[in-house]
Amino acid sequence: MTDLSSFPITKKWPAQHPDRLQLYSLPTPNGVKVSIMLEETGLPYEPHLVSFETNDQMSPEFLSLNPNNKIPAVLDPNGPGGKPLALFESGAILLYLAEKTGKFIPQDAAGRYQTIQWVMFQMGGIGPMFGQLGFFNKFAGKDYEDKRPRNRYVNESKRLLGVLDKHLADRAWIMGDSYTIADIATFPWVRNLIGFYEAGELVGFKDFKNVARVLEAFVARPAVTAGLTIPKRG
Ligand SMILES: N[C@@H](CCC(=O)N[C@@H](CS)C(=O)NCC(=O)O)C(=O)O
């Protein structure tokens, strides 16, 4: 029987199935990347809700696994060398799971690096820029009188959507015919931008027809539908 009791995070979120990968998350655009990937791979896992309403991400137990106080984070009892592995940062977790299962990442070196390149494009560009746009369009920043910060993120988000749209013009998925972790990283953020952040009109989303087409294919996948609501909100 696997013993995860030396990990303080299991004191707040006890593992009912310590032999399964433990997911600490909330269904946000970064959180669902990992739940979607886990649903896609079929790896057995146990989800735990990290509630922002009760500031769970700031608890000492959560910080013991991710000192950066952000979801998602995982604890895999069966990591490299058969030892437990704790990981945070959604991009690193996606890569780890792709390599662990041999799924959703090309096996050839060039394809692998190009997939990583698009994951980095999401992690360094789409995520932070769309996130700031959400802040200035929907949350506290919307009341700021000075609209220059908002406009900066609108313009940068449009530019990034343009790059993605052009790339997708003759491709079914970011890496062509293969659905990969680059899609799993990217499309939850596109969905969130035009959904929860209500910024579709602001960024002129109707002009990005290729992005819209791939988003539609993405959300039609059963694993995506399932992953979007995991962990269940309390
Ligand atoms: N680069 C990180 C970003 C994670 C992130 O920003 N998570 C947000 C939710 S989408 C969060 O946990 N926010 C809580 C907080 O900032 O206290 C990743 O991709 O994992």
Side-chain angles (χ1 to χ4, degrees):
M1 180 80 165
T2 317
D3 183 11
L4 294 177
S5 61
S6 62
F7 291 86
I9 196 158
T10 63
K11 301 277 180 287
K12 189 170 172 72
W13 290 277
Q16 303 300 323
H17 303 280
D19 52 325
R20 299 185 190 168
L21 186 142
Q22 305 290 304
L23 168 67
Y24 308 95
S25 191
L26 186 72
T28 69
N30 285 318
V32 300
K33 290 178 200 170
V34 178
S35 43
I36 290 171
M37 178 66 172
L38 287 164
E39 290 292 317
E40 293 280 12
T41 60
L43 266 182
Y45 71 103
E46 184 175 344
H48 301 278
L49 184 77
V50 178
S51 173
F52 292 168
E53 278 165 31
T54 43
N55 256 343
D56 285 356
Q57 76 279 21
M58 296 297 190
S59 64
E61 293 88 348
F62 187 80
L63 294 172
S64 71
L65 199 147
N66 183 0
N68 192 35
N69 63 268
K70 296 203 185 274
I71 62 94
V74 298
L75 174 57
D76 184 359
N78 190 20
K83 294 201 187 104
L85 176 71
L87 268 187
F88 61 89
E89 282 295 326
S90 58
I93 299 169
L94 286 180
L95 261 172
Y96 169 65
L97 295 175
E99 292 189 342
K100 179 182 169 91
T101 58
K103 290 180 177 168
F104 309 114
I105 192 157
Q107 294 305 305
D108 67 291
R112 186 173 168 276
Y113 283 116
Q114 284 162 352
T115 305
I116 294 172
Q117 156 194 281
W118 285 104
V119 171
M120 298 287 177
F121 174 81
Q122 184 284 309
M123 293 296 293
I126 285 185
M129 296 303 124
F130 288 12
Q132 292 300 328
L133 177 46
F135 174 82
F136 285 104
N137 188 49
K138 173 135 185 208
F139 303 110
K142 81 176 184 324
D143 300 325
Y144 293 7
E145 244 169 67
D146 185 347
K147 294 299 171 203
R148 283 174 299 179
R150 190 196 72 158
N151 294 344
R152 174 178 162 78
Y153 294 115
V154 171
N155 290 339
E156 185 58 4
S157 299
K158 276 187 182 169
R159 193 190 66 77
L160 290 165
L161 283 167
V163 171
L164 189 60
D165 199 68
K166 196 166 171 207
H167 177 75
L168 290 171
D170 52 0
R171 289 176 176 87
W173 300 105
I174 291 177
M175 285 303 295
D177 291 338
S178 314
Y179 170 75
T180 67
I181 54 171
D183 303 294
I184 297 175
T186 303
F187 286 98
W189 272 101
V190 176
R191 175 180 174 271
N192 202 65
L193 180 76
I194 62 174
F196 188 51
Y197 288 170
E198 299 171 7
E201 215 167 295
L202 198 58
V203 298
F205 192 70
K206 62 173 181 10
D207 297 335
F208 302 110
K209 299 222 166 15
N210 301 308
V211 177
R213 165 181 46 85
V214 182
L215 174 64
E216 203 181 320
F218 179 73
V219 295
R221 295 179 69 91
V224 172
T225 312
L228 283 172
T229 58
I230 296 173
K232 295 265 168 288
R233 289 180 191 267

